Amino acid sequence: MAKEFEIRTDLALEEKESFPGDGGEIHGVSLKEWQDKGGNFKITEVVVLDEEGARAMGKPVGTYMTLEAKNLKWREKEYHTALAKELARQIERLMRRQCIGEDGNILVVGLGNEAVTPDSLGPRVVSQLRISRHLKKKYRQEMFGSGRSVSALVPGVMAQTGMETAEIIRGVVQETKPDMVLVIDALAARSVRRLGNTIQLSDTGISPGSGVGNHRSAITEEVLGIPVLAVGVPTVVGAAAIAHDTVGALIQVLNREQITQNIGQYIENMDPEEQYAFIREILDPEFGSMYVTEPDIDETIRQLGMLISDGIHRAVYPEDEREG
Amino acid sequence: MAKEFEIRTDLALEEKESFPGDGGEIHGVSLKEWQDKGGNFKITEVVVLDEEGARAMGKPVGTYMTLEAKNLKWREKEYHTALAKELARQIERLMRRQCIGEDGNILVVGLGNEAVTPDSLGPRVVSQLRISRHLKKKYRQEMFGSGRSVSALVPGVMAQTGMETAEIIRGVVQETKPDMVLVIDALAARSVRRLGNTIQLSDTGISPGSGVGNHRSAITEEVLGIPVLAVGVPTVVGAAAIAHDTVGALIQVLNREQITQNIGQYIENMDPEEQYAFIREILDPEFGSMYVTEPDIDETIRQLGMLISDGIHRAVYPEDEREG
Amino acid sequence: MAKEFEIRTDLALEEKESFPGDGGEIHGVSLKEWQDKGGNFKITEVVVLDEEGARAMGKPVGTYMTLEAKNLKWREKEYHTALAKELARQIERLMRRQCIGEDGNILVVGLGNEAVTPDSLGPRVVSQLRISRHLKKKYRQEMFGSGRSVSALVPGVMAQTGMETAEIIRGVVQETKPDMVLVIDALAARSVRRLGNTIQLSDTGISPGSGVGNHRSAITEEVLGIPVLAVGVPTVVGAAAIAHDTVGALIQVLNREQITQNIGQYIENMDPEEQYAFIREILDPEFGSMYVTEPDIDETIRQLGMLISDGIHRAVYPEDEREG
Amino acid sequence: MAKEFEIRTDLALEEKESFPGDGGEIHGVSLKEWQDKGGNFKITEVVVLDEEGARAMGKPVGTYMTLEAKNLKWREKEYHTALAKELARQIERLMRRQCIGEDGNILVVGLGNEAVTPDSLGPRVVSQLRISRHLKKKYRQEMFGSGRSVSALVPGVMAQTGMETAEIIRGVVQETKPDMVLVIDALAARSVRRLGNTIQLSDTGISPGSGVGNHRSAITEEVLGIPVLAVGVPTVVGAAAIAHDTVGALIQVLNREQITQNIGQYIENMDPEEQYAFIREILDPEFGSMYVTEPDIDETIRQLGMLISDGIHRAVYPEDEREG
């Protein structure tokens, strides 16, 4: 189906894949891929270089790292440690580029709704972090040397607070003056096979979009005045994507058999506007906001929460190798 | 699409609706419908009278009451009270038929997984009940007269316990000898528009089936030796149902336009086996167990939890009108 | 025992009671007491009129209302409704004095730590509020007329955030410009018999002090620039108070018998400095921060959470009598 | 103060210490103590050998291991690993004595109330266990070889269920036939300095007693028909112990100064009956059930939950060294 028609995704990688030829050359966008030594995971870097790239991708200029693991739910310690180290390496790389010093204060923000399991990743990660800003302020150099300090915020979602998440963060940033914000969020993917095995890191912050509960207007350097890194993990697929995929799969199946080929082609050749109207007809109006998730999402969130908080610890407290 | 092809539903009402003519006569099944006086909700009673009906419906012999409200999430006290009273009336009616006396002990079982929001209805209801069995045993007649007593159990799900839910309940029933079991469960519906506004009551207990996390093998009078009432509320739709509905809607849309009519008819006329294979091709293998739910499912569960615990209180403690 | 020696309390009423003659005349402090018509609860108003009173009481100038119920845990609907109405009346009275208009925006702040039961009252109350600021901003006059709007914040405690609670609130107030802040907090009382049946309301905000987890430096009009009402309920007693009470009770018992009277008098007549040193010797150094609470504190918090959120609803949405 | 007067403790070690001479010879009780190699923790083994010892100790015949760490809250990975390994070693030793084979099924029971922080240790440990009984039943030998399998139960407390915890466990044991029960529980200590740094292991199960919420009548081999190991950690001190300690400390202080010595001696020499009446007078009647706990009990429970579930994993899945 044509591009105009696409269901939104929070993943730059999925956006990239949706281009014809599975990611051929796009002006203003660069792409690099590599594997870790152990062959356990794949890393993809999509850099949106300029405004042209930003228009093509529907994503702001910046760097988007994607870590794809075979199975984040696999409970093997070594595997988890390898992943956490890789995550730490990528976070550090982005922090260095943003010139976050050895004694910077990082405000970690756990976006999302604690009371809705697939949306609870951010609050969960924050609850497992070692918080140190208040201790460093109190005991200063003696105890903590010149290391980094961490503060944390779980702002809640608009239905719970009546406020934009961005308003809350802005206020807290102005009052407590951290050097960087690191937001953690549950994302919406376009494809079911992304759930629970992909981590996206970017230095662009978060722009108004889909997400699980859509709890954000721009949380970006432009708005906050300090760098914003974002760590996101897809935990849901918008229900609309399912209907979209079903129609896509239908066309494929129909195209395969000679007798039904012309039916498939007919649907495929509808112009995007028609297709859009068509999918909208199929979808119940109440359906748009629904999402699809896994039955064992609680276990996924538990494992991801440990993995990401471990990764952040390793990145922000490098001196503290013993730390869990 | 043909019956053979249908996606499973936990709702007897949806099963009934799926018959041609929207519920014409089926041998062995009776149907009654009425409205409450205030016009706030609709009640439907489906009685599966005999084995013939049971085969047709794919549901055991017994009575299935359905309460359909316009909006269970509407936060209006009067409306909630009316609903809770109706629910209480229906629970009482079924208890009377099972000859549960004025001083019976009722074991309320909250099925489901507390850690997964749409599956947490049962545990939530139980957490709000007034529990009295231990007090009645201790203070006997003096304080509690001859009223009913309530005990409660949250057995968890198999991934958490390693045991069948039915095993746990059976053990507890044998040890504590209640007169009746009342199970509360989150159900899977076939259609999105059932979510959060339908309550099903039955006197057949719960048979192995879909449910949200499929946490049950038979919890029935046959297995437990005492009557089992079940209160269920659909909180999810299986993701497979979405694909199914999309194809159905596609056919409808195609049939409407002259030029595409033959395409629609072609798909419609595939034989059930072919259709089944076709949908299976469309669906990702990982997709089968996924489910669709609402973004504000936390609020739905909160409201439903209050409503159902209120209804149960009114039914089991009728002498205690003041009770919240 | 002498005043200098006293264990700190968050309750103005306990402070007042500690004066000789159980609250004789103190310069700069006025006291009024009355009962509700039904005789269900007692209301005490302590007004600290000027700096002289403030010094005597160790509490800032302002009004402190105390509602004492026989038993807040009693699950009777009528009784709860009477209490919630009284609470609403007092909140309204204080709001009027602060000139909060009919269309003001009130930011409710739930202080405390959700993960520690006796400290979780604030977050619990907030989780049950109807939040409306975002809806009013979106739909404006049409839907909501000129009624008040509510936003809410659960800032967490310093060990979780690394930030002063007051910093977070100040930032959010500056960014979202509410007309008033209403803080909810769990308090530390001096006496076990205050636990779970006393509600204190004041228009002085919250000053650095004991509290359960001591999660606050000044949250006051002076700091935030807008009026601050505080609703507090004692849920713990500092463990130090227990040691103190034990010594006090010991003296009483000893004084009663002729043979031991001189022993009691001896301890009683120690000068305050000596007494202080003496109690400090008795107390383990780790002991100071410990607190005493009830075994069924979960049920207390549940009931109080419903009561206080009901009271706030009635006060801020007076037009909306149907609201739960 | 005399023995008759003592406040109950769940710790055999505290019971032992209360004997004159800090644990001189008691008939029927043996005592061994040692340190780990790293000097990080002390292990004490109290064996109640016969009925004489049982009477003296107020504890059933059996083995009681105590692990005392400097600080269980210290977040250092290596230290935690050393503790978890020691805990595993002791659990294994007791399992071997009970002849639990290499393919036994162990039912882990998390006692306590999830909603009350210091009482939530048991449920917390269980929520972090890898559960395998259902998988082993399904996939048998192929996947799991002959390893042990784990099932788990969180029975709740009597106020939540209306049933004795022992009734629930008995029913589940009869239905699912495990080879051993391992109960995890939060205990009440007599002294504040035991909180959060002592783990007690015993092979006697749990007898009716104090505990935090007193949620148990006998959970023992006699009642269940299979061996019962118990892992307990003191997380509270009964408030009565505080009053008791205060009087004790008072006597010490008074005895030190010549002028007050006779007062101290007077109180000390009261006969136990008098002393008991005296303490009872001091204590508020509502006071008896209160308990003392730490302000950062949430963090203690979090760390202990990880430590104990790690220890259990290492003991029951020895083949699975990689497991977290």
Side-chain angles (χ1 to χ4, degrees), chain B residues 78-210:
Chain B
E78 255 180 62
Y79 183 64
H80 261 256
T81 304
L83 271 169
K85 282 184 178 165
E86 185 59 40
L87 181 58
R89 211 171 295 134
Q90 301 303 335
I91 294 175
E92 260 181 1
R93 210 164 63 103
L94 292 181
M95 285 202 304
R96 254 199 317 276
R97 282 208 217 155
Q98 302 289 348
C99 303
I100 304 308
E102 298 289 303
D103 59 354
N105 170 230
I106 293 152
L107 172 61
V108 182
V109 177
L111 296 181
N113 183 347
E114 269 185 284
V116 174
T117 316
D119 200 19
S120 65
L121 180 65
R124 182 142 196 139
V125 167
V126 161
S127 77
Q128 292 174 358
L129 290 179
R130 181 156 71 84
I131 304 302
S132 52
R133 178 179 175 268
H134 57 310
L135 301 173
K136 206 184 162 192
K137 280 196 103 170
K138 199 166 163 194
Y139 303 108
R140 276 275 130 192
Q141 309 312 50
E142 308 110 57
M143 259 184 85
F144 287 84
S146 56
R148 295 205 187 93
S149 70
V150 172
S151 48
L153 187 71
V154 173
V157 299
M158 206 197 263
Q160 296 168 332
T161 64
M163 303 180 278
E164 294 270 0
T165 306
E167 290 181 295
I168 298 173
I169 300 173
R170 207 153 49 208
V172 171
V173 163
Q174 274 162 24
E175 204 56 42
T176 66
K177 312 243 176 275
D179 300 296
M180 187 185 94
V181 165
L182 176 59
V183 291
I184 318 295
D185 199 10
L187 305 178
R190 195 181 285 150
S191 155
V192 162
R193 92 196 148 72
R194 290 278 173 212
L195 297 187
N197 56 13
T198 302
I199 301 175
Q200 174 175 279
L201 245 121
S202 79
D203 58 4
T204 60
I206 283 186
S207 298
S210 56

Side-chain angles (χ1 to χ4, degrees), chain C residues 289-307:
Chain C
S289 63
M290 302 259 156
Y291 58 80
V292 176
T293 190
E294 312 165 278
D296 55 350
I297 184 69
D298 56 331
E299 181 61 17
T300 301
I301 295 289
R302 213 173 79 86
Q303 294 290 335
L304 282 167
M306 286 194 285
L307 173 61

Side-chain angles (χ1 to χ4, degrees), chain C residues 15 22 38 69 137 142 167 174 195-196 220-221 244 281 323:
Chain C
E15 204 62 66
D22 194 33
K137 280 195 103 170
E142 306 111 56
E167 290 180 296
Q174 273 162 24
L195 297 188
T220 58
E221 179 159 7
H244 181 266
E281 269 205 82
E323 184 58 37

Side-chain angles (χ1 to χ4, degrees), chain A residues 74-78, chain D residues 130 317 319-324:
Chain A
W74 203 13
R75 299 180 69 167
E76 206 200 33
K77 256 188 192 162
E78 254 179 63
Chain D
R130 181 156 71 86
Y317 300 126
E319 73 286 2
D320 186 11
E321 286 159 61
R322 5 160 265 214
E323 183 58 36

Side-chain angles (χ1 to χ4, degrees), chain D:
Chain D
M1 283 190 157
K3 183 83 209 330
E4 290 79 356
F5 193 50
E6 220 113 33
I7 305 296
R8 204 193 167 293
T9 173
D10 288 326
L11 293 174
L13 190 59
E14 284 193 336
E15 203 63 65
K16 190 74 178 57
E17 285 169 356
S18 70
F19 286 90
D22 194 32
E25 294 294 298
I26 312 169
H27 273 286
V29 179
S30 85
L31 179 76
K32 259 192 292 187
E33 275 184 28
W34 64 97
Q35 292 256 247
D36 81 311
K37 277 178 258 165
N40 288 315
F41 40 89
K42 200 177 107 185
I43 302 155
T44 313
E45 189 193 67
V46 176
V47 184
V48 178
L49 298 160
D50 52 27
E51 282 311 310
E52 190 179 0
R55 263 193 310 277
M57 292 283 288
K59 301 251 169 273
V61 169
T63 302
Y64 302 85
M65 311 294 310
T66 312
L67 226 118
E68 285 173 276
K70 272 174 214 137
N71 188 353
L72 292 174
K73 267 183 288 189
W74 205 12
R75 299 181 68 165
E76 207 201 31
K77 258 189 190 161
E78 255 179 61
Y79 183 63
H80 261 256
T81 303
L83 271 169
K85 281 183 179 167
E86 185 60 41
L87 182 58
R89 210 171 297 134
Q90 301 303 333
I91 294 176
E92 261 181 1
R93 209 163 64 100
L94 293 181
M95 285 202 304
R96 253 199 318 275
R97 281 209 217 155
Q98 302 290 348
C99 305
I100 304 308
E102 298 290 304
D103 59 352
N105 169 229
I106 293 152
L107 173 61
V108 182
V109 177
L111 296 181
N113 183 347
E114 268 185 286
V116 173
T117 316
D119 200 18
S120 65
L121 179 66
R124 182 142 195 138
V125 168
V126 161
S127 77
Q128 291 174 0
L129 290 179
R130 181 156 71 86
I131 303 302
S132 52
R133 179 179 176 267
H134 58 310
L135 299 173
K136 206 183 161 193
K137 280 196 101 170
K138 203 168 161 191
Y139 303 108
R140 276 275 132 192
Q141 309 312 50
E142 307 111 55
M143 260 183 83
F144 287 85
S146 56
R148 296 206 186 93
S149 70
V150 172
S151 48
L153 186 70
V154 173
V157 298
M158 208 198 262
Q160 295 167 333
T161 65
M163 303 181 278
E164 294 271 359
T165 305
E167 290 181 295
I168 298 173
I169 299 173
R170 208 153 49 209
V172 171
V173 164
Q174 274 162 23
E175 203 57 42
T176 66
K177 313 245 176 272
D179 299 297
M180 188 186 92
V181 165
L182 175 59
V183 291
I184 318 296
D185 199 10
L187 305 178
R190 196 181 283 151
S191 154
V192 161
R193 91 196 148 73
R194 290 277 174 213
L195 297 188
N197 56 13
T198 302
I199 302 176
Q200 174 176 278
L201 244 120
S202 80
D203 59 4
T204 60
I206 284 185
S207 298
S210 54
V212 177
N214 195 5
H215 25 73
R216 47 213 207 174
S217 61
I219 302 167
T220 58
E221 178 160 7
E222 207 182 340
V223 168
L224 299 180
I226 52 174
V228 182
L229 297 192
V231 175
V233 180
T235 61
V236 303
V237 171
I242 304 302
H244 180 266
D245 284 0
T246 305
V247 174
L250 181 64
I251 293 169
Q252 273 200 332
V253 174
L254 292 171
N255 275 346
R256 229 168 34 200
E257 305 291 323
Q258 188 147 22
I259 189 166
T260 53
Q261 207 173 26
N262 63 326
I263 307 182
Q265 273 163 8
Y266 175 83
I267 304 175
E268 204 171 6
N269 293 334
M270 281 166 130
D271 83 278
E273 282 302 300
E274 262 183 293
Q275 282 195 0
Y276 185 64
F278 172 72
I279 291 273
R280 291 234 346 219
E281 268 205 82
I282 287 171
L283 295 176
D284 201 303
E286 301 159 58
F287 193 79
S289 62
M290 302 259 156
Y291 58 80
V292 177
T293 189
E294 311 166 278
D296 54 351
I297 183 69
D298 54 332
E299 182 60 16
T300 301
I301 294 290
R302 212 173 79 86
Q303 295 290 336
L304 283 168
M306 286 195 285
L307 173 61
I308 295 175
S309 58
D310 190 7
I312 295 176
H313 275 160
R314 289 170 191 271
V316 297
Y317 300 126
E319 73 286 2
D320 186 11
E321 286 159 61
R322 5 160 265 214
E323 183 58 36

Side-chain angles (χ1 to χ4, degrees), chain A residues 115 117 250 263 278 281 291 293, chain B residues 115 117 250 256 263 278 291 293:
Chain A
T117 316
L250 182 64
I263 307 180
F278 173 71
E281 269 205 84
Y291 57 81
T293 189
Chain B
T117 316
L250 182 64
R256 230 170 32 202
I263 307 181
F278 173 70
Y291 57 80
T293 188

